[in-house]
Structure formats: C-alpha cells, structure tokens
Amino acid sequence: MKLYRSLVACALGALVLLPAHSALINRGGGFIYDSTLNITWYANGLVGLGSWQDLADGQPWGDMTHALALDFAANFSVYDPLRGTTWSDWRLPKADPACGTPVYRCSGNELGHLFYEDFKGTPGWSWLSNSPGKDHAAVALFQNLQNAVYWNAELGANDPINLAWSFSAAGQQIRNTRISPNYVLLVREGDVAAVPEPGVAAMLSAGLLVLAARRRRHRV
C-alpha cells in the first residue's frame, strides 16, 4: 500500500510542470490552466495567423470577422506532445453582458478575468504596457499578444446579426460590429493535465505491475 501511495503521489506531482503563478499554471506545450475558472488557454495571441479565416480579407495579420472567428475556434485542433493527445474542443472566451458596454473592470468576461485577476492589468493600459502593478511573469506565459481587440463568443442580444461582444487589450469589454477584423484567443473547459503525460502513465502502470507481482508472491 505504501508503494502504491508513493507512485500515485509521484504521478500527481509530475502533472504540474511548472509552479503556479497567480491562478495561472503553465502546463507546457502552450497550454495555460486557470485554476480559478477551471479553463485552459491556448497561449498564442496570433493563433489564427495564416489560417484561411485570417486570409479571407486578403490581409495575413491574424485577425478575422466574428463569424470566421467562431468557425476557426470550432475547427481548431492542436497536438499536445507532452500528453500524447490532440485537443479539439476549443471555443472563444465568454463575455459578461451583464457588465454592460463599454466598460472596464469586467472580470466576469473570461478575457477580463485574464486581464484584471491574472495579469493585474490597469484599466486603459494595454496588457503589453508597463502598467502599475502588472504581473509581467503572468503575461509572459502568453505569446504574441496583440495591442488590439479580441473576440468573445456571444452575439449582441439587441442586434445579434450585426453585433458581438469583444474585449480590448486595454481592459475594456465592448460590443463590436461582427464584420470588424479582431483577434482570437482560444480556451477550453477543464485542465489538460487531467490526461497524464505518457511518461507519467507508464511509470504508474509499471509501479502497479510491480505491486501486483509482490502481492502474488505473498499469496504463494
């Protein structure tokens, strides 16, 4: 039993690749887990760059309309070499329409939570700036963040044909015209570390085999 507990403890410990920073935990491979919201970010602020959705307007900048952003998220998949699996359940971050628009300090928006709670951003200051109290180490977990607007998933309730929610790099939730070219950050539910790394799984399996063999010897 002691051996089994030790093996389980080692396996669970190995799932956390790097120390937690605020509520963000770097799971490696470009995946950042938010332990407060129980979501995982794909930490690339230019994830759409070069996709057909990006190139639809003839400008290879990584931005796209809201309809194309929804399509991009729904069809995006990425291989996770650390855990030997492909993740394809991505979506755009959720807005918080109850906050209103335009408005700062809307942490109910998942991008707002990232900006204010994780990055410790200051309203009106870009998450790329040297704003007072900013958590530079948390921001550094993400690559290619743009000083621009990023799409949320929800449509504008008062005009869902033409408007959708979005969030600016300066910390403001806003309703935007759906044809505007904005950027994409992707998120998924849960923690990628719930799937053990192949090495960890192999170690645990080998330990359980050893434990089973010892039990058989004791019975003989």
Side-chain angles (χ1 to χ4, degrees):
M1 183 58 69
K2 289 182 178 179
L3 175 61
Y4 175 78
R5 289 176 178 171
S6 297
L7 289 167
V8 171
C10 290
L12 292 176
L15 295 178
V16 182
L17 300 179
L18 291 174
H21 200 93
S22 184
L24 298 179
I25 303 171
N26 189 349
R27 296 304 193 195
F31 305 102
I32 308 299
Y33 177 58
D34 187 316
S35 60
T36 301
L37 299 181
N38 190 31
I39 57 176
T40 295
W41 294 95
Y42 188 56
N44 184 355
L46 278 176
V47 63
L49 183 65
S51 66
W52 74 263
Q53 293 93 339
D54 169 36
L55 300 175
D57 63 357
Q59 303 286 351
W61 294 341
D63 54 359
M64 58 194 72
T65 66
H66 187 254
L68 290 176
L70 288 172
D71 182 81
F72 177 80
N75 291 282
F76 181 77
S77 63
V78 59
Y79 180 69
D80 180 353
L82 295 177
R83 282 153 285 268
T85 190
T86 297
W87 303 106
S88 57
D89 51 349
W90 299 96
R91 60 171 174 81
L92 297 180
K94 296 175 183 176
D96 185 2
C99 283
T101 180
V103 64
Y104 290 106
R105 300 189 184 279
C106 182
S107 294
N109 184 313
E110 288 177 336
L111 284 166
H113 186 274
L114 184 68
F115 183 93
Y116 289 108
E117 307 302 326
D118 298 323
F119 291 173
K120 309 302 181 188
T122 299
W125 292 61
S126 169
W127 52 25
L128 300 179
S129 69
N130 290 318
S131 59
K134 172 184 168 182
D135 191 333
H136 292 272
V139 177
L141 294 173
F142 289 75
Q143 304 298 314
N144 303 316
L145 289 175
Q146 301 297 297
N147 186 22
V149 176
Y150 280 79
W151 284 119
N152 287 120
E154 291 81 3
L155 303 177
N158 59 332
D159 189 358
I161 296 177
N162 298 307
L163 298 177
W165 291 95
S166 59
F167 194 86
S168 78
Q172 189 177 47
Q173 176 178 274
I174 52 178
R175 274 198 304 263
N176 215 323
T177 56
R178 296 191 68 200
I179 61 173
S180 298
N182 295 328
Y183 289 86
V184 173
L185 264 177
L186 297 180
V187 67
R188 63 178 297 276
E189 303 294 336
D191 186 359
V192 296
V195 176
E197 297 177 42
V200 173
M203 179 182 68
L204 182 56
S205 297
L208 292 175
L209 288 174
V210 170
L211 181 60
R214 288 187 176 181
R215 286 181 173 175
R216 282 198 297 270
R217 284 199 299 270
H218 284 310
R219 288 174 184 171
V220 176

